[in-house]
Amino acid sequence: MIEIRGLTKSFGSLPVLRGIDLTAAAGHVTAIIGPNAAGKTTLMKALVGLVIPDGGDIRVGGVSVRRSWAYRARLGYMPQLPRFPENLTLGELVALIKDLRGAAAPGEEALLGLFDLAALLARPLRVLSGGTRQRISAALAMMFDPELLVLDEPTAGLDPLSSRRFKDLLDAERERGKTIVLASHVMSDLEELSDRIVFLSEGKVFFDGTLAEILGQSGEPTLERAIARMMEGERR
Amino acid sequence: MRQALKVGRYALADLVRSRWILAYAGFFAVLGWALFYFGEEPAQAIVSLLSVVLIVIPLVSAIFGVTQFYNTREFVELLLAQPLRRHSVFFGQYAGLALCLALAFVVGVAGPFLWYGAGNREDVGPLVGLLLAGIFLTLIFVALAFLVGIRTENRLRAVGTLVFLWLYFTVLYDGLLLLGIMLFDAYPLERPLVVLTLLNPVDLARIVILLRLDAAALLGYTGAIFQQFFGSGWGMVLTIGALLLWTLVPTALAARLYATKDF
């Protein structure tokens, strides 16, 4: 479980997060949505420890993660734009992450197979396409069977087959009680995966509820329309 | 520490396969080979190499360092998402890059020297001086590159800043020093000059080598003072100490900023 209380962050004089309160429960997919520059990626990065918050607190399993690094052994992260050292091969990258984590990777073979990566192990990473990198990123994030998954637009760039497999996998992970936080602009991701939707706008939580609540509140027939309306309403 | 070593090892493994590093080592090898081949004695070749080392190493270390800093940005984000300390990632990355550049230089220069001058024992001293100077300049300018890279997200500004720093240390500083000497030529300036020399790593590197070549006599009276000061045991300790400080202070500063940087 992840609890975020009063999280603030500014870049220079620009406030990006202005007091975020949020709880992501185990066994749930919490989707973070919102217009561009709403603070989604900053929030995700704060969870991982890439961005250092100015104020507030993030607790994972009840323990504050401020100045802590060990909690990341229980966390898998997919960044928005995965890029890897150009001269290493995929096999070396996998070995590197395993070596750095110093942990067993129970999901290694299954994930490399699932995302069609096993045949690419000897290839240098510089020759692999964007979609392939995204698949690698997914495999690396889940390989160590982490309790928490922080996924920043994970299906962007994935072909339909990989995207389908990825979503099925995420469904299974949720069933196993994982805490999943996901940012996405893809409506089908949200409709299929999310248990809860958190709408961020200008660094604040603008709406926090289930899919049914969002639809009911807006009176729109589809999620896309409901979200579009929410964005319009919030701009007015 | 173990984490940092692991990160450094992979940074090194990635870099030694880069064409740029091979080209860099090749540059010193070809230059060294040509200078030893055409020069009358190894000492001469070392003096010629010295001028190149003092100009090229700071520039390449700074520019390659900052480029690498930005190019590995996403990969560093991947590393920082692992259960690692930030310091481990920083020092691993810094050491991997600096050692790789230093290694390319050492291999490039030592190769032709061993080929041509291996029999001559008295040339080993200047060579060691040259290698030491080159290694220090690499460590220092990669640290400065990381410092600038951490401070600004803007690549162009970072490169501009580093080119200015390079110009300052290799050209402007000596120019300003000369201007000062001209303006204050009525005063005894030798001792202030010794102090001012300590404030420029490129000048320090130059001294490390020149004093091993007995070329200081060419520098006149000031040279004599320098010889007296820097040539003594204490002077050598001070020079190396100052170069160490020039390495440690920017590195420590960069590590501190890195610990609270947003990625």
Side-chain angles (χ1 to χ4, degrees), chain A residues 9 50 52 92 99 101, chain B residues 6 17 80 82 262-263:
Chain A
K9 177 70 189 175
L50 289 168
I52 316 282
E92 286 170 319
D99 186 20
R101 286 229 176 199
Chain B
K6 282 181 185 175
R17 282 180 228 173
L80 290 174
Q82 310 305 322
D262 295 313
F263 282 87

Side-chain angles (χ1 to χ4, degrees), chain A residues 2-154:
Chain A
I2 301 173
E3 296 162 281
I4 301 170
R5 292 288 164 263
L7 199 70
T8 57
K9 177 70 189 175
S10 299
F11 291 122
S13 58
L14 183 77
V16 181
L17 301 179
R18 302 197 281 188
I20 303 269
D21 292 306
L22 181 67
T23 304
H28 282 75
V29 174
T30 306
I32 314 283
I33 61 169
N36 300 325
K40 300 187 293 291
T41 293
T42 304
L43 178 62
M44 307 291 257
K45 286 186 167 182
L47 284 177
V48 181
L50 289 168
V51 162
I52 316 282
D54 296 333
D57 200 13
I58 299 173
R59 288 172 173 271
V60 170
V63 181
S64 173
V65 302
R66 197 160 263 251
R67 296 192 168 277
S68 162
W69 53 273
Y71 79 100
R72 287 196 284 266
R74 295 185 283 146
L75 181 146
Y77 169 59
M78 281 179 73
Q80 210 170 30
L81 280 176
R83 274 186 54 190
F84 308 112
E86 296 199 331
N87 300 308
L88 294 185
T89 64
L90 174 56
E92 286 170 319
L93 177 73
V94 172
L96 178 158
I97 299 295
K98 279 189 343 198
D99 186 20
L100 288 175
R101 286 229 176 199
E108 181 181 352
E109 277 186 29
L111 285 164
L112 290 178
L114 182 71
F115 291 117
D116 295 324
L117 296 170
L120 305 177
L121 283 170
R123 297 271 185 90
L125 291 156
R126 69 172 166 273
V127 303
L128 302 178
S129 72
T132 309
R133 284 177 200 178
Q134 196 73 3
R135 271 150 49 206
I136 294 171
S137 178
L140 288 177
M142 300 203 186
M143 204 173 265
F144 300 89
D145 198 20
E147 292 161 45
L148 317 166
L149 284 166
V150 177
L151 313 170
D152 200 349
E153 301 193 22

Side-chain angles (χ1 to χ4, degrees), chain B residues 153-168:
Chain B
E153 299 282 322
N154 184 336
R155 276 171 190 241
L156 210 58
R157 190 196 292 169
V159 170
T161 307
L162 286 164
V163 168
F164 174 79
L165 279 177
W166 169 74
L167 212 59
Y168 173 77

Side-chain angles (χ1 to χ4, degrees), chain B residues 88-160:
Chain B
S88 307
V89 176
F90 172 80
F91 283 111
Q93 205 194 0
Y94 168 73
L97 177 58
L99 288 181
C100 192
L101 282 169
L103 204 69
F105 158 70
V106 169
V107 170
V109 169
F113 181 85
L114 290 177
W115 187 263
Y116 284 106
N120 248 334
R121 268 172 187 276
E122 71 235 41
D123 295 322
V124 171
L127 179 75
V128 169
L130 182 74
L131 294 181
L132 208 62
I135 291 169
F136 265 121
L137 286 178
T138 307
L139 294 177
I140 292 165
F141 278 85
V142 172
L144 290 175
F146 273 40
L147 196 54
V148 172
I150 292 167
R151 283 298 301 240
T152 175
E153 299 282 322
N154 184 336
R155 276 171 190 241
L156 210 58
R157 190 196 292 169
V159 170

